[in-house]
């Protein structure tokens, strides 16, 4: 085997988190290498280039805050930025700070094993090149490992087969084609209207209907952008002080504290804005069934109004789970697709897919001929990309084994028994319930400060203590269990992956509370970690 190349720190991933990780740690004087499986920077925004892909949080929020000049110079063109613009922003950041020189691309980490004697992690990759590092940051993303939909016969299909999560770089032409889309989560809801625009026919295979509200996306005027820029640092501080790190709409009251007329007014207002804030209209939407039902019924009514055929509308109504317990979607013309003559909805709860054939999809009721199949079937969320790297500690224990009952972390930043392996935007933190860019910046800053502290103290190892991890994991579960989320089959609990242990492991105590806790731990000499 070729000799391993050594670096102080290895960062896996060149998405928002990995790029900032390399930037910050390099600035701090570490010899850092980033490893990325894609051919360039961007992470999920590099791979998920399906038509209609765009952010469903505000562009001015979903961007880096670490550099005032950067946020002053960059001009977002739309309220919700399209994938291409986000990718060019990420690319701009890589150019501006000359970050690509610290990365190797087209390189997938296949295994990460620690040697307790040397205190080094050995990183194996699919290129045959190997690396060692004392510190490893897994900036691999909570929604980046595509899920296998497990549909029999997929390999037999002779038409064009695409996955939204690994969309080709060359344009895909839908014109004149009979397209089948499987999956109606965010990726399906965003891509279906774009595909329906030019396909000769689109069949949407829906297993569970989504709750989607109109995005009301539009261009940002220079005046609007100017208003943000005038007070960007202050705006960022305000966001960091709230529950998600994102612009939130809320009455600040529980549903029961509002009269029916007030409830209606608040929902109308937020619905008109076009925001996922619809699920934070009342403080208890995710925690109280009655409050949830008010919002869920409001959104169901909006769907009835948007879909002309009452039978199709009925099938599109989500009725089997509380709103917000599967991630809701922002749509741009999704429901209106079902008013088009070239579109059809197949309800898989009535007629499940039996198999894919050479020429289409066979349900329990019929064979549907297709020229193209698009799989918008989701991700092995939160743990999939981390476990794909197969971390093994110095005693030979796999992280997958340590997490056999679900992920256990201390603050979402580290897992006991796996020293110097840091997790970014992972289970146990606010992760997917926060502003993913700010969540990553906070985690990276925390790790960077921890590494600087170790160096200053003449130490080189930080490891979560089992009892601190146990207590934190219990707390995360306790807060989660006070909400409606664990009861729904969703990717949040791993229910979309056969055999995955069911666990709700996102910290729902709030981004502000979480970051304060992380800071307190650091201020108390990394309380709950053993440093040596
Ligand atoms: P998803 O929300 O997990 O949706 C996957 C869809 O595929 C679901 O409708 C699922 O049905 C269906 N499905 C999976 N396997 C199937 C099978 N074998 N047969 C039939 N249907 C099947 O995945 P996603 O849409 O890619 O979104 C994942 C997350 O990524 C989002 O929730 C969001 O957090 C993020 N995302 C964000 C954006 C954005 O901001 N703009 C865009 C895309 C994704 P069931 O529900 O019945 O399992």
């Amino acid at each position: 085997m070729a000799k391993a190349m050594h670096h102080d720190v290895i960062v896996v991933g060149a998405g928002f988190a990995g790029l900032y990780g390399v930037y910050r740690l390099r600035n701090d004087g570490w010899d850092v290498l980033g490893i990325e499986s894609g051919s360039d920077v961007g992470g999920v925004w590099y791979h998920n280039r399906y038509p209609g892909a765009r952010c469903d949080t505000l562009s001015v929020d979903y961007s880096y805050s670490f550099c005032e000049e950067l946020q002053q110079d960059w001009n977002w063109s739309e309220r919700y930025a399209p994938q291409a613009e986000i990718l060019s922003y990420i690319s701009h950041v890589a150019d501006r700070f000359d970050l690509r020189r610290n990365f190797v691309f087209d390189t997938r980490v296949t295994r990460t094993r620690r040697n307790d004697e040397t205190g080094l992690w050995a990183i194996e990759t699919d290129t045959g090149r190997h690396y060692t590092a004392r510190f490893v940051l897994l900036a691999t993303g909570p929604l980046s490992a595509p899920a296998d939909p497990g549909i029999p016969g997929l390999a037999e299909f002779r038409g064009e087969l695409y996955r939204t999560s690994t969309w080709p770089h060359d344009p895909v032409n839908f014109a004149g084609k009979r397209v089948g889309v499987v999956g109606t989560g965010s990726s399906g809801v965003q891509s279906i209207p774009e595909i329906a625009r030019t396909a000769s026919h689109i069949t949407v295979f829906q297993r569970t209907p989504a709750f989607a509200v109109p995005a009301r996306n539009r261009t940002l005027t220079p005046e609007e952008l100017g208003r943000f820029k005038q007070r960007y640092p202050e705006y960022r501080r305000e966001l960091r002080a709230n529950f998600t790190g994102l612009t939130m709409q809320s009455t600040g009251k529980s549903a029961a504290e509002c009269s029916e007329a007030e409830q209606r007014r608040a929902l109308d207002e937020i619905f008109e804005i076009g925001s996922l804030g619809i699920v934070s209209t009342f403080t208890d939407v995710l925690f109280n069934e009655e409050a949830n039902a008010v919002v869920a019924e409001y959104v169901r009514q909006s769907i009835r109004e948007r879909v002309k055929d009452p039978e199709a509308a009925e099938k599109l109504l989500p009725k089997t789970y509380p709103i917000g317990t599967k991630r809701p979607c922002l749509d741009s013309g999704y429901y209106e697709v079902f008013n088009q003559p070239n579109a059809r909805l197949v309800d898989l709860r009535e007629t499940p897919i039996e198999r894919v054939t050479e020429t289409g999809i066979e349900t329990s009721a019929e064979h549907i001929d297709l020229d193209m199949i698009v799989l918008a079937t989701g991700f092995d969320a939160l743990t999939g990309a981390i476990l794909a790297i197969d971390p093994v500690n110095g005693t030979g224990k796999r992280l997958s084994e340590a997490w056999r009952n679900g992920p256990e972390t201390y603050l979402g930043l580290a897992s006991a028994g796996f020293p110097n392996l840091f997790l970014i935007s992972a289970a146990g933190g606010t992760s997917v319930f926060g502003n993913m860019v700010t969540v990553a910046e906070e985690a990276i800053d925390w790790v960077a400060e921890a590494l600087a502290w170790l160096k200053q103290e003449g130490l080189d190892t930080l490891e979560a203590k089992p009892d601190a991890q146990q207590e934190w994991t219990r707390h995360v579960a306790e807060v989660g269990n006070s909400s409606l989320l664990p009861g729904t089959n969703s990717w949040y609990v791993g229910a979309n992956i056969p055999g995955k242990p069911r666990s709700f492991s996102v910290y729902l105590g709030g981004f502000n509370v979480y970051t304060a806790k992380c800071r307190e731990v650091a201020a108390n000499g990394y309380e709950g970690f053993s440093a040596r």
Side-chain angles (χ1 to χ4, degrees), residues 1 32 34 51 63 84 97 106 110 157 171 186 195 231 255 427:
M1 195 194 285
V32 49
S63 45
F97 300 106
D106 294 310
T110 51
F157 185 58
S186 301
I195 297 170
R231 55 185 298 276

Side-chain angles (χ1 to χ4, degrees), residues 50 54-56 143 149 151 182-188 190 207-208 326-327 348 376-379 491:
Y50 58 84
R54 68 175 65 247
C55 194
D56 57 13
L143 288 156
I151 304 172
V182 184
T184 53
S186 301
S187 305
Q190 288 186 338
R207 194 162 65 183
T208 311
K326 277 165 102 74
R327 195 173 178 283
L348 299 179
T377 44
F379 298 89
W491 59 252

Side-chain angles (χ1 to χ4, degrees), residues 329-360:
C329 309
L330 278 190
D331 83 280
S332 300
Y334 172 64
Y335 293 110
E336 288 72 13
V337 165
F338 302 97
N339 299 333
Q340 291 182 200
N342 67 336
R344 176 185 172 202
L345 181 71
V346 172
D347 186 343
L348 299 179
R349 292 165 304 180
E350 289 171 3
T351 56
I353 293 178
E354 296 204 326
R355 60 196 303 270
V356 172
T357 68
E358 287 184 1
T359 55

Side-chain angles (χ1 to χ4, degrees), residues 49-109:
R49 44 182 84 208
Y50 58 84
R54 68 175 65 247
C55 194
D56 57 13
T57 55
L58 297 180
S59 322
V60 290
D61 296 6
Y62 190 83
S63 45
Y64 289 120
S65 62
F66 69 85
C67 174
E68 172 65 0
E69 290 77 28
L70 169 65
Q71 62 187 6
Q72 287 297 332
D73 289 352
W74 186 264
N75 292 317
W76 291 107
S77 66
E78 297 178 37
R79 216 172 142 233
Y80 296 116
Q83 173 269 340
E85 188 170 352
I86 298 173
L87 193 56
S88 72
Y89 169 76
I90 297 173
S91 183
H92 166 79
V93 172
D95 287 340
R96 185 175 183 129
F97 300 106
D98 191 16
L99 297 174
R100 286 185 180 87
R101 74 178 156 91
N102 289 89
F103 274 92
V104 288
F105 294 99
D106 294 310
T107 304
R108 183 173 288 282
V109 176

Side-chain angles (χ1 to χ4, degrees), residues 192-210:
I192 286 163
E194 289 302 315
I195 297 170
R197 219 181 287 286
T198 51
S200 71
H201 191 272
I202 182 168
T203 308
V204 175
F205 295 88
Q206 171 193 270
R207 194 162 65 183
T208 311

Side-chain angles (χ1 to χ4, degrees), residues 158-233:
R158 289 217 304 253
E160 297 167 70
L161 176 65
Y162 301 107
R163 292 169 194 271
T164 49
S165 54
T166 47
W167 197 260
H169 289 214
D170 295 328
V172 173
N173 183 9
F174 306 103
K177 310 236 169 82
R178 297 162 302 174
V179 184
V181 181
V182 184
T184 53
S186 301
S187 305
V189 163
Q190 288 186 338
S191 56
I192 286 163
E194 289 302 315
I195 297 170
R197 219 181 287 286
T198 51
S200 71
H201 191 272
I202 182 168
T203 308
V204 175
F205 295 88
Q206 171 193 270
R207 194 162 65 183
T208 311
F211 280 100
V213 292
R216 305 193 195 285
N217 188 35
R218 55 177 171 73
T219 51
L220 276 174
T221 64
E223 292 72 34
E224 267 176 297
L225 254 184
R227 279 199 293 278
F228 281 108
K229 288 187 180 185
Q230 243 175 17
R231 55 185 298 276
Y232 228 144

